[in-house]
Amino acid sequence: MHYIDNIIFALILVAGFGYFAFNVKKLVRNIKLGQDVDRSDNKKERWANMALIALGQSKMVKRPIAGVLHIIVYVGFVIINIELLEIIIDGLFGTHRIFAFMGTFYNILIGSFEILAFLVLFSVITFLVRRNIIKLKRFIHNDLKGWPKSDGNYILYFEIALMLLFLFMNAADATLAQRGTEHYIQAGAFPISSFIAPMFENIPSETLIILERTFWWLHIVGILIFMNYLYYSKHLHILLAFPNTYYADLNPKGKFNNLESVTAEVKLMLDPTADPFAAQPQTDAAPAKFGASDVQDLNWVQLLNAYTCTECGRCTSACPANITGKKLSPRKIMMDTRDRLEEVGKNIDANKGIFVPDNKTLLNDYITPEELWACTSCNACVEECPVSINPLSIIMDMRRYLVMEQSAAPMSLNAMMTNIENNAAPWQYSQQDRLNWKNEN
């Protein structure tokens, strides 16, 4: 009978990790649809950023309440799942608390897990209150509706269920061990589940074994389901925050990239001694398209950004354009990019590895020019993001497409560029009249 349980457990384990690997492969494929960009420089600084921002969560604590609670959930969930190794070994080989031989260290370990589980429960319940009772503005914003809004709650319910299953499993286990039930050994410390154990005092051992096994199975299967749910959830950032912070742009905020082909043309225009018909030094070939109108035009780091977005809304809550009532929401920019990328990925899956044009693009079908031109390029969204996402880079690339491919800049911007071309200044005065202001009054 035990062998059947072990075989079933092994099959569930293989299915869980196999489906997770399948989704990871699809995720990597989608990210690689982006244009190439070199982020292999300054490795020391990149590792430091990853350690400080992703692991140390230094940007989270800028908002202390949410930051501290998030650190508790993060640390608690990661450390508690160290026990997953013991559960896997016990499940595969029919053992029970295989690491109990560690003695006092094991007791401290299990006791620590329980305290962390309690703290995680407290933090997650607080998050639910903030989302659904207090209703913080960034969680009820009009860009966070439908699935994204529900997803935030689902993951919190999931975490509550997993923590409770862990504690109830320990409580039933400890009770059976105290009774001297076969297969159950007295090992571990239970500072939290000891308060649950009295519920099981009057339950016969045969029934309690069934309950303990039920909690055990639901806990491990729940973890596998949670792991595979990540791909469909904003909580994919649990995994992607690390590469995302590593490959983040290290240039000073506000420094934008230039196209070499365009730079060469501008230099030629500004050089009065240059012969426009003479052979010019070789530069990078002009791109097939200036800027970005769809996800394939963005670089792979920008697509990684889209999948890493936590949908926390810190970017939108700090955006001056959004605060003043403009349509722009940096969070929506990232969510729209991810949604379009997922749509493109499904198109490729449905057409045996080839993208078939679907008459849709990220620009217009997902993100409107009105949103793009509302941006002040102040970098507030970039500064606020706890995992180094850069919505501004996507906005600027799409603006570049509007200007350079469609000549679709706002009238005021077109007027400014015309003045610069004709008068070498943004104002509508000839060069001879530019200093007339000093003669006024």
Side-chain angles (χ1 to χ4, degrees):
M1 184 65 181
H2 287 302
Y3 291 115
I4 295 175
D5 290 345
N6 300 152
I7 292 170
I8 292 172
F9 179 83
L11 291 174
I12 291 174
L13 200 65
V14 169
F17 279 98
Y19 190 62
F20 178 73
F22 170 78
N23 279 332
V24 167
K25 184 178 179 182
K26 186 164 58 174
L27 176 71
V28 172
R29 188 276 313 274
N30 288 354
I31 291 173
K32 285 184 174 180
L33 293 175
Q35 301 294 313
D36 189 34
V37 61
D38 184 13
R39 292 289 168 86
S40 61
D41 60 323
N42 299 314
K43 288 183 171 58
K44 185 176 180 180
E45 185 178 354
R46 293 187 180 280
W47 281 110
N49 275 350
M50 187 175 72
L52 188 65
I53 299 173
L55 187 62
Q57 302 197 39
S58 59
K59 297 183 76 172
M60 283 296 300
V61 294
K62 288 184 177 180
R63 301 190 184 190
I65 295 176
V68 171
L69 292 175
H70 189 275
I71 288 173
I72 289 172
V73 173
Y74 172 74
V75 173
F77 207 77
V78 169
I79 293 178
I80 290 167
N81 280 326
I82 293 175
E83 194 192 22
L84 186 62
L85 179 60
E86 182 179 56
I87 290 176
I88 289 174
I89 295 173
D90 286 347
L92 289 173
F93 300 102
T95 54
H96 182 69
R97 294 198 177 276
I98 189 69
F99 296 143
F101 67 88
M102 296 177 180
T104 302
F105 177 71
Y106 184 77
N107 294 344
I108 294 172
L109 209 58
I110 298 299
S112 302
F113 292 167
E114 290 215 347
I115 293 170
L116 282 169
F118 176 77
L119 292 174
V120 169
L121 276 172
F122 172 79
S123 301
V124 168
I125 291 170
T126 303
F127 285 143
L128 279 171
V129 170
R130 282 159 56 86
R131 280 179 173 271
N132 301 290
I133 298 177
I134 298 176
K135 294 184 178 179
L136 294 182
K137 186 177 179 181
R138 59 195 174 101
F139 295 133
I140 59 171
H141 196 275
N142 57 15
D143 69 345
L144 195 67
K145 55 189 177 182
W147 168 251
K149 186 174 183 178
S150 300
D151 175 45
N153 284 324
Y154 291 158
I155 208 77
L156 295 176
Y157 298 144
F158 225 118
E159 289 172 354
I160 288 174
L162 290 176
M163 294 302 102
L164 288 176
L165 286 168
F166 171 71
L167 293 173
F168 273 80
M169 175 185 74
N170 280 355
D173 185 289
T175 302
L176 289 166
Q178 287 174 359
R179 293 179 184 180
T181 307
E182 183 183 0
H183 189 66
Y184 292 88
I185 58 175
Q186 290 192 359
F190 309 100
I192 306 299
S193 60
S194 59
F195 291 98
I196 302 172
M199 296 172 55
F200 303 135
E201 284 182 356
N202 298 321
I203 298 176
S205 295
E206 293 79 9
T207 305
L208 190 53
I209 289 173
I210 295 173
L211 283 174
E212 188 275 333
R213 288 290 85 191
T214 301
F215 297 143
W216 187 92
W217 277 99
L218 289 175
H219 182 64
I220 182 61
V221 172
I223 289 173
L224 293 174
I225 292 173
F226 177 84
M227 180 178 70
N228 282 286
Y229 176 75
L230 292 180
Y231 177 81
Y232 306 96
S233 166
K234 73 189 186 74
H235 287 74
L236 194 57
H237 73 269
I238 293 172
L239 304 176
L240 295 186
F242 293 90
N244 197 75
T245 50
Y246 181 86
Y247 290 114
D249 189 357
L250 299 181
N251 288 314
K253 293 180 179 62
K255 180 179 180 180
F256 300 112
N257 67 315
N258 294 313
L259 295 176
E260 289 297 322
S261 55
V262 175
T263 302
E265 289 294 324
V266 172
K267 287 180 177 179
L268 182 64
M269 292 170 60
L270 295 176
D271 185 358
T273 63
D275 179 1
F277 302 103
Q280 301 299 318
Q282 289 294 317
T283 61
D284 293 340
K289 179 192 291 185
F290 292 108
S293 64
D294 211 347
V295 289
Q296 298 97 320
D297 305 322
L298 299 171
N299 66 55
W300 65 266
V301 175
Q302 291 169 317
L303 301 186
L304 174 62
N305 280 184
Y307 274 122
T308 309
C309 180
T310 70
E311 298 176 15
C312 65
R314 292 187 180 207
C315 54
T316 296
S317 68
C319 175
N322 188 274
I323 291 170
T324 55
K326 302 290 195 304
K327 194 174 180 181
L328 173 65
S329 166
R331 171 170 60 186
K332 179 180 177 294
I333 296 293
M334 302 314 302
M335 292 164 63
D336 286 344
T337 302
R338 183 190 59 215
D339 290 346
R340 173 56 181 165
L341 183 53
E342 274 293 291
E343 185 177 50
V344 169
K346 290 175 182 176
N347 180 309
I348 293 172
D349 291 336
N351 293 286
K352 299 179 180 179
I354 299 173
F355 176 71
V356 176
D358 55 2
N359 297 318
K360 294 176 71 175
T361 58
L362 180 61
L363 179 63
N364 296 319
D365 290 298
Y366 284 83
I367 300 171
T368 64
E370 180 185 352
E371 294 171 76
L372 299 174
W373 291 115
C375 177
T376 66
S377 65
C378 68
N379 272 291
C381 56
V382 183
E383 180 64 34
E384 281 294 315
C385 181
V387 289
S388 300
I389 291 169
N390 191 338
L392 180 58
S393 68
I394 295 176
I395 292 171
M396 297 306 294
D397 280 349
M398 296 181 77
R399 277 184 176 180
R400 177 178 281 168
Y401 175 83
L402 287 171
V403 173
M404 301 185 72
E405 292 282 346
Q406 296 191 331
S407 300
M411 186 179 298
S412 57
L413 187 57
N414 279 329
M416 182 196 72
M417 289 189 289
T418 300
N419 289 332
I420 290 174
E421 182 179 358
N422 295 331
N423 307 319
W427 304 280
Q428 196 172 4
Y429 304 110
S430 68
Q431 295 188 44
Q432 292 80 3
D433 297 332
R434 284 170 59 186
L435 296 179
N436 286 352
W437 60 271
K438 66 182 177 61
N439 297 323
E440 295 180 6
N441 299 325

